[in-house]
Amino acid sequence: MNKDGGKGKGSKDGARGSRTAMMGTLLAGAFLALMAETFLNNALPTIMAEFHVSQSTAQWLSTSYLLVVGLMIPVSAWVFSNFRSKHTFIAMMAIFLTGSLVCIFSEGHFLLLLAGRIIQAVAAGSLMPFIQNVVLLLFPPDRRGAALGVVGLVVALGPTVGPTLSGFVLEHWSWRALFVLLAALSAVILVASFFLVYTVNHQVRTRLERAFRGIFLPRFRAHSLCPVRHRGRGWCVSA
């Protein structure tokens, strides 16, 4: 084996190892954010008693999280194209960590606890589309299917593990321990991202308003042009 061949093989193995480490870090962050969606469900009765709020009010801790996650998905495409992927992921994990810390120190203030959950959701809503975009650039075409399959597994597994893990934590500690755990894990992932995550995208400066315009305006126009549904048919006729 010649020298050039050996060097080429070694560089290829090194690139593959760094790519695997980066993907593992990204998936760990996504798993944590998705797990947080259902992580608080078992603690709602305790929170209701401590903060003296009704069930409908306490339920906003989960509802607001899902609502903000949905609102952040269109923004994630704009964020991915305008900022470096490494800086974006670091910022997302820092935002999630900040939200967890706000929840930990929300002593006696339900609105502060709700604000912390909303801050967490800002990062969570951007993570999954962000990781899918990174996969398309990080892996060659023949390996993208397997990589996207792993991402899909994380998407399904995160919310499923949340209630089970939170139930175990609540048996031994208070509901604040849930956010302590989220803060600790997000801090570890944040530190790891400085060393294991690198930039894979090229920045293209665009306006944020265009991201919303391209997604929502066609839907609004379609509904305005087709307000009446034909009887017995699955299509609309113009008014």
Side-chain angles (χ1 to χ4, degrees), residues 4 9 60 67 71-72 77 79 92 98 123 126 132 139 149 154 161 166 172 193 198 212 228 238:
D4 294 338
K9 183 177 180 180
W60 274 103
L67 180 62
L71 292 175
M72 287 304 300
V79 172
M92 290 177 185
T98 301
S126 303
Q132 291 176 345
F139 290 90
V154 171
V161 174
S166 64
H172 301 85
S193 63
Y198 52 90
F212 289 97
V228 181
S238 59

Side-chain angles (χ1 to χ4, degrees), residues 12-26:
K12 183 182 294 186
D13 293 339
R16 185 178 302 173
S18 61
R19 183 171 58 193
T20 303
M22 175 176 174
M23 195 62 191
T25 305
L26 296 178

Side-chain angles (χ1 to χ4, degrees), residues 121-225:
V122 169
S126 303
L127 270 175
M128 285 314 303
F130 169 81
I131 292 178
Q132 291 176 345
N133 288 326
V134 170
V135 167
L136 296 177
L137 298 177
L138 193 62
F139 290 90
D142 59 332
R143 298 190 60 190
R144 288 174 185 169
L148 289 173
V150 174
V151 174
L153 181 63
V154 171
V155 172
L157 190 61
T160 305
V161 174
T164 304
L165 182 58
S166 64
F168 174 79
V169 174
L170 291 172
E171 284 185 358
H172 301 85
W173 300 281
S174 68
W175 61 268
R176 288 182 180 81
L178 299 176
F179 294 105
V180 172
L181 180 61
L182 292 177
L185 293 177
S186 59
V188 172
I189 297 172
L190 177 61
V191 173
S193 63
F194 281 96
F195 304 98
L196 301 178
V197 177
Y198 52 90
T199 298
V200 297
N201 64 327
H202 299 285
Q203 296 173 264
V204 179
R205 296 295 182 181
T206 57
R207 292 184 178 181
L208 179 59
E209 61 185 33
R210 293 182 179 180
F212 289 97
R213 186 186 306 170
I215 294 174
F216 294 111
L217 283 186
R219 298 181 182 179
F220 292 150
R221 290 172 182 171
H223 285 289
S224 63
L225 292 175

